[in-house]
Amino acid sequence: MWSWLRGSGEAANEPAATTPAGQQSATSLYRFLAGARAGGSWEEVATNAAPQLYDANEDSNAKAAEWHLEVEGAQEAIDTVVNDEVNFDAKDLRVTFMAGDDIWALKFGSPGAFERFLQKFNKAAFENRYGQEQTDATEAKLFGEYATSLNGVENDESRQHWVEDMDTDQPDPRELRTPTKNRMVSEKASPIHGVIMGATQRSYLMRDNQIDVLSNVHGGVEDTGLSFKLTPPPKAAGLGGGSTPTLTPSKALLMNQERHMNMISPLAGTSLWHADIETGKVISEWKFQKDGVDVAMKDIASKNKAAQTEDTNVFLGLDTNRLARWDMRDPHGIVSEAASPIVSYEGGKDYSRGTKFSCMATSGDGFVVVGADDGKIRLYSEKTLTQAKTSIPGMGLPITSMDVTFDGKWVLATTRNYLMVLKTMYKDPKSGKELCGFTSKMGANAPAPRLLRLKTEDVKLTKGAPLEKGHFTWITERGRQERWIVASCGTYTVLWNFRSVKIAEPEVISYGGLTTVTKYHLVRKDEHVVDSVFMHDSFRRGLGDDMVVVTKKHVYTVEGDDSDEEE
């Protein structure tokens, strides 16, 4: 299987498979009939379908190619622009795609026919995505040393990298069940904008101009009924003091053993708001400054994955073309008590243009991963933020959130169409030593990434909503392993078992050949899911998939079923 993608070209030259009557094996066409809420069935509508790819701009010298997929054989014409929202199931020789409001599937009669269509489709999708014909030269230009790992089916060496640091037994069958314990914790009158998870006694909801307090318990949270208003101190420079008496933060960060909270607001990008949780007050407004000039930050993150439980005043900040380390102490090491305190710039880099930074995350050792609007992912060591050790090219979609495991071995990037899991560990081909992409350049030695995607049927079920805010299980202790990945999608929470991702075979592929995992749990809510986050590992109960799901006006605790009964 996949011989043509491994460079032999055998499948491309293989004669078409034939039936006993001497005719070419047929390609069947199916249409998906959706159920009332979820699920559905497939109806065969043609037994001898003829899929064709054509360039709609073939007769135009001024326009770039626009490849379409046309399928003949059904009563109605099927014609859709070639895109990456297609899943190729190699095991069943099946291609699933959307055309208009309908979901279709082509089932090929032979591996050769399936692979020839896949090869042609990938070339068309590449040209539509990048505006260039797919050749070795264009792949090298776009992906550099990563051309092999980002294009084509994952090779055996890469698959071995994915499983070599774990026991390769199958996940516990109980892990593969949809979580059944779903409990509403709280209902709010005004919209919820986000949740801030604590690792100790408390977690918090962001609601317009106030913070609501939740109590962490084993398996979930409880609503305490307590809250505090986000009222800036008098004469706050950033928001105009009395003229804007409250603020709504875009990002909040627990600090100082979770006694304090730092916040930023898009209304005052150069300001940092510092709240004392014990008194429930915003006690000071700080200014981000470098060389005496105010600078804006659009994201902040802990200096490492466990830093919120430590007594530290150092954190990271990010803007479109800037990555910085900040310290709330003055040069003498004392936390500033000035009337208009300045956050000390402790290092980083200002890029002249073009980086398009969008989000970041940190590991237990302080490794930093940064995502960008152009899809690029950069890995920085804990020692310096001036130059990325590894820079992985984008695949055409903006990165909207990042996460990284506590040990720094795995990175999770969220885009609207897929989650990408990257392994940062690789072997030096010369010495055989295991190295890390955060401290050395991976380049051509990088294992191929894997994609987590919804099935085409579920893309329609979720009304095409984007995947958002991917998270690993929350671990802050060495020796523990993350077991789950979660993301939000419209009115749904999506759960992938991480061990199943690690041992996945390239049975389903997309985006030119990347191993794609389409086995997951869907947990439905009646309103938009703002965020789905795991409880800290110290509060987990059972198999570790306990989490909090926050919708527009409700808070839920979702737990797995630890019983030994079969479904």
Side-chain angles (χ1 to χ4, degrees):
M1 186 180 291
W2 312 122
S3 56
W4 62 269
L5 280 171
R6 298 181 189 221
S8 69
E10 293 174 5
N13 298 322
E14 172 192 333
T18 58
T19 65
Q23 300 176 341
Q24 291 188 359
S25 56
T27 298
S28 298
L29 177 67
Y30 296 82
R31 185 196 337 234
F32 182 71
L33 305 176
R37 285 173 66 99
S41 60
W42 289 93
E43 173 191 33
E44 187 176 40
V45 296
T47 57
N48 195 21
Q52 301 290 336
L53 295 165
Y54 72 92
D55 177 10
N57 294 332
E58 183 178 10
D59 297 330
S60 173
N61 294 325
K63 295 182 179 180
E66 181 183 279
W67 288 93
H68 284 235
L69 169 62
E70 180 183 53
V71 183
E72 298 178 352
Q75 290 183 348
E76 54 190 278
I78 300 174
D79 192 312
T80 184
V81 176
V82 169
N83 57 42
D84 294 302
E85 290 300 291
V86 177
N87 287 330
F88 289 83
D89 188 332
K91 186 176 181 180
D92 292 334
L93 306 181
R94 189 182 183 98
V95 178
T96 309
F97 63 98
M98 289 190 69
D101 294 328
D102 291 318
I103 300 172
W104 303 89
L106 292 164
K107 184 172 177 58
F108 290 84
S110 72
F114 175 84
E115 292 184 12
R116 283 191 297 276
F117 177 78
L118 173 59
Q119 185 179 29
K120 294 177 181 178
F121 186 94
N122 282 341
K123 287 182 176 294
F126 184 98
E127 193 164 353
N128 278 1
R129 190 191 317 151
Y130 299 112
Q132 303 178 59
E133 184 180 355
Q134 185 177 21
T135 65
D136 291 343
T138 54
E139 287 184 6
K141 179 182 177 181
L142 290 167
F143 304 118
E145 296 177 273
Y146 298 89
T148 300
S149 60
L150 293 177
N151 285 281
V153 171
E154 187 175 6
N155 59 36
D156 292 339
E157 183 180 0
S158 175
R159 290 159 63 190
Q160 181 60 34
H161 279 311
W162 274 79
V163 299
E164 63 188 4
D165 65 341
M166 63 169 286
D167 53 340
T168 56
D169 60 314
Q170 295 292 326
D172 187 314
R174 292 174 297 170
E175 297 178 20
L176 304 182
R177 301 174 185 172
T178 300
T180 55
K181 300 177 182 178
N182 196 343
R183 177 172 57 89
M184 189 179 76
V185 173
S186 180
E187 182 176 6
K188 302 296 181 180
S190 60
I192 301 170
H193 300 296
V195 59
I196 311 155
M197 297 303 295
T200 53
Q201 297 181 347
R202 300 284 186 263
S203 292
Y204 306 90
L205 295 177
M206 291 190 291
R207 284 201 302 131
D208 286 342
N209 59 3
Q210 75 179 46
I211 298 289
D212 293 348
V213 183
L214 304 173
S215 176
N216 292 334
V217 297
H218 285 287
V221 295
E222 299 288 351
D223 193 345
T224 66
L226 302 174
S227 64
F228 60 91
K229 293 288 185 181
L230 296 178
T231 303
K235 298 181 181 180
L239 295 177
S243 64
T244 309
T246 58
L247 66 94
T248 300
S250 57
K251 182 67 178 287
L253 196 66
L254 291 171
M255 300 277 292
N256 306 116
Q257 298 174 333
E258 301 189 349
R259 300 191 308 271
H260 297 149
M261 182 183 295
N262 286 342
M263 298 168 285
I264 56 175
S265 169
L267 297 178
T270 62
S271 294
L272 177 76
W273 307 94
H274 189 59
D276 186 329
I277 292 176
E278 295 176 352
T279 62
K281 294 181 179 179
V282 179
I283 57 177
S284 56
E285 177 195 16
W286 297 58
K287 302 300 289 186
F288 291 111
Q289 280 191 5
K290 181 188 177 187
D291 300 329
V293 178
D294 289 355
V295 296
M297 292 283 108
K298 68 177 183 180
D299 194 14
I300 53 177
S302 301
K303 72 172 186 177
N304 63 59
K305 212 169 184 70
Q308 68 187 61
T309 64
E310 303 168 354
D311 196 12
T312 179
N313 293 286
V314 179
F315 62 96
L316 303 181
L318 185 79
D319 198 27
T320 303
N321 295 309
R322 178 180 290 114
L323 177 61
R325 182 177 286 110
W326 299 99
D327 194 338
M328 300 183 72
R329 298 169 298 181
D330 66 17
H332 302 290
I334 306 299
V335 176
S336 178
E337 296 180 356
S340 299
I342 303 300
V343 192
S344 299
Y345 180 80
E346 293 296 314
K349 185 173 181 178
D350 294 353
Y351 295 82
S352 58
R353 59 184 176 83
T355 53
K356 301 179 182 179
F357 292 152
S358 59
C359 49
M360 62 179 168
T362 55
S363 74
D365 289 323
F367 297 149
V368 184
V369 56
V370 177
D373 286 336
D374 61 4
K376 187 173 288 187
I377 298 171
R378 294 172 173 86
L379 309 182
Y380 295 83
S381 75
E382 80 287 8
K383 296 179 180 179
T384 178
L385 301 179
T386 57
Q387 183 175 2
K389 293 295 184 179
T390 294
S391 182
I392 301 169
M395 291 172 47
L397 290 178
I399 307 295
T400 57
S401 73
M402 296 293 317
D403 199 6
V404 56
T405 57
F406 185 77
D407 59 15
K409 292 183 178 181
W410 309 90
V411 162
L412 179 67
T414 303
T415 76
R416 64 167 288 112
N417 290 347
Y418 59 80
L419 273 59
M420 176 186 286
V421 184
L422 294 155
K423 186 171 185 183
T424 66
M425 307 301 293
Y426 67 99
K427 285 188 177 180
D428 182 355
K430 294 182 179 179
S431 66
K433 293 181 179 180
E434 189 172 54
L435 301 175
C436 177
F438 282 105
T439 56
S440 61
K441 183 179 180 180
M442 288 199 293
N445 302 309
R450 293 185 178 175
L451 303 185
L452 313 183
R453 296 185 61 186
L454 297 185
K455 299 174 184 175
T456 310
E457 307 93 292
D458 289 333
V459 171
K460 184 173 182 178
L461 177 68
T462 58
K463 300 180 181 179
L467 290 165
E468 298 178 304
K469 301 175 183 176
H471 305 286
F472 285 113
T473 314
W474 190 11
I475 303 292
T476 58
E477 180 183 349
R478 297 189 187 280
R480 302 286 299 174
Q481 293 294 316
E482 290 81 0
R483 298 290 294 275
W484 294 91
I485 295 171
V486 68
S488 304
C489 184
T491 58
Y492 290 84
T493 292
V494 193
L495 269 169
W496 286 267
N497 182 276
F498 191 23
R499 288 206 300 175
S500 293
V501 175
K502 291 179 180 179
I503 63 176
E505 297 288 336
E507 295 177 350
V508 177
I509 62 172
S510 61
Y511 278 82
L514 295 180
T515 299
T516 302
V517 181
T518 57
K519 294 180 180 179
Y520 46 79
H521 307 293
L522 279 178
V523 181
R524 186 181 181 275
K525 292 290 176 284
D526 292 329
E527 56 190 11
H528 177 76
V529 176
V530 175
D531 204 353
S532 306
V533 289
F534 291 108
M535 296 295 298
H536 184 266
D537 195 46
S538 61
F539 289 99
R540 78 181 182 98
R541 182 163 55 191
L543 298 171
D545 55 345
D546 305 328
M547 61 183 177
V548 174
V549 175
V550 177
T551 66
K552 187 177 180 180
K553 290 190 176 182
H554 297 84
V555 181
Y556 298 87
T557 289
V558 180
E559 301 177 61
D561 185 355
D562 297 336
S563 69
D564 293 325
E565 297 179 3
E566 294 297 328
E567 289 185 300

